[in-house]
């Protein structure tokens, strides 16, 4: 396994970490009284847009998964529209799952949907950038020993860490601490964000430490 490829992955992931950190700092200079907790819905929108834009830009620059052949303009347009539909379906699916796990069904619909968008940005959008609207490729990557590159291994780790972070973030909500960050869905979105950031940092380190044991077979 080439060390240069791992360094590229580490650099790309650190840029994503930096973009998340900046979403909590930069808006405070232009939005009066902005804080992640106090203006949480605004922050979730900013974070989703920033991570999405950087993820697409990094994919276009680094091209971790090259297509087998050049495609026509019509095919690219069709692929883009499919990606948009898949992302929207992911947001709806996450919204339904979150409600089934106990989120308010009628109240706080906007908050729940924005949490779904944030989770889709951390998970589905990354899959769309790397694998495209190919469900079979998604199932392969998230199956046991299904990754065929370090980029796909990183995708596995960051996606799982994001979902687990959101799940663990729900634990403090029913506690009677009366903290501002216990309001729905602040702790869940912060948990998902911390999980995403942790996954970005852990993935290249784990791949580096286990590079001798990792063998990728092309499929």
């Amino acid at each position: 396994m080439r060390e240069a490829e791992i360094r590229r992955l580490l650099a790309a992931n650190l840029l994503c970490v930096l973009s998340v950190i900046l979403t909590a700092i930069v808006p405070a200079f232009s939005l009066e009284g902005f804080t992640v907790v106090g203006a949480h819905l605004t922050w979730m929108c900013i974070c989703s847009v920033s991570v999405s834009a950087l993820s697409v830009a990094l994919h276009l620059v680094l091209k971790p998964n090259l297509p087998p052949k050049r495609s026509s303009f019509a095919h690219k347009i069709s692929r883009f529209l499919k990606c948009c539909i898949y992302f929207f379906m992911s947001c709806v699916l996450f919204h339904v799952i979150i409600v089934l796990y106990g989120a308010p069904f009628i109240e706080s619909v906007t908050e729940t949907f924005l949490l779904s968008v944030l989770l889709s940005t951390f998970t589905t959008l990354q899959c769309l950038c790397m694998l495209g609207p190919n469900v079979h490729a998604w199932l392969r990557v998230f199956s046991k020993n299904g990754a065929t590159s370090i980029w796909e291994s990183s995708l596995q780790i960051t996606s799982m860490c994001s979902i687990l972070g959101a799940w663990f973030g729900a634990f403090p909500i029913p506690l009677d601490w009366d903290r501002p960050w216990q309001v729905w869905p602040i702790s869940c979105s912060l948990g998902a964000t911390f999980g995403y950031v942790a996954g970005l940092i852990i993935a290249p380190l784990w791949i580096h430490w286990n590079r001798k044991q990792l063998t990728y077979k092309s499929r």
Side-chain angles (χ1 to χ4, degrees):
M1 186 181 299
R2 294 182 300 173
E3 288 290 334
E5 195 70 9
I6 298 178
R7 287 196 293 268
R8 288 178 66 200
L9 174 65
L10 177 61
N13 285 7
L14 289 179
L15 281 175
C16 292
V17 172
L18 179 61
S19 71
V20 173
I21 295 174
L22 290 178
T23 59
I25 299 174
V26 173
F29 293 101
S30 56
L31 300 176
E32 185 178 355
F34 175 87
T35 61
V36 172
V37 175
H40 194 66
L41 297 185
T42 303
W43 173 79
M44 282 199 291
C45 294
I46 294 173
C47 186
S48 298
V49 171
S50 300
V51 173
S52 299
L54 183 60
S55 298
V56 173
L58 287 174
H59 173 73
L60 294 175
V61 172
L62 298 176
K63 294 183 170 68
N65 279 9
L66 290 172
K69 59 181 179 180
R70 292 185 178 181
S71 54
S72 64
F73 180 74
H75 177 76
K76 291 179 180 178
I77 294 297
S78 174
R79 181 185 175 93
F80 173 75
L81 292 177
K82 284 182 180 179
C83 287
C84 293
I85 294 172
Y86 277 40
F87 183 79
F88 177 74
M89 290 173 59
S90 171
C91 295
V92 174
L93 180 60
F94 270 123
H95 186 99
V96 171
I97 292 173
I98 293 170
V99 169
L100 292 176
Y101 266 87
F105 178 63
I106 298 177
E107 298 177 354
S108 305
V109 173
T110 302
E111 289 84 349
T112 304
F113 187 74
L114 286 179
L115 174 60
S116 305
V117 172
L118 188 69
L119 276 172
S120 296
T121 302
F122 293 156
T123 56
T124 306
L125 181 67
Q126 312 303 318
C127 294
L128 290 171
C129 287
M130 189 168 299
L131 306 173
N134 186 342
V135 178
H136 295 292
W138 293 20
L139 294 175
R140 171 184 59 77
V141 169
F142 289 98
S143 63
K144 185 178 180 181
N145 300 322
T148 60
S149 68
I150 64 173
W151 300 92
E152 292 181 356
S153 294
S154 178
L155 180 64
Q156 290 176 336
I157 295 171
T158 53
S159 297
M160 293 302 178
C161 286
S162 300
I163 294 174
L164 287 175
W167 183 61
F168 282 115
F171 288 179
I173 293 178
L175 302 178
D176 57 351
W177 295 346
D178 295 327
R179 302 295 183 183
W181 49 267
Q182 287 181 275
V183 177
W184 174 258
I186 296 177
S187 61
C188 287
S189 56
L190 291 179
T193 306
F194 286 135
Y196 175 67
V197 170
L200 290 171
I201 297 173
I202 292 170
L205 297 178
W206 183 85
I207 292 169
H208 176 74
W209 288 331
N210 295 275
R211 63 188 183 281
K212 293 182 179 179
Q213 288 77 29
L214 292 174
T215 55
Y216 296 113
K217 298 179 180 180
S218 61
R219 291 175 172 82

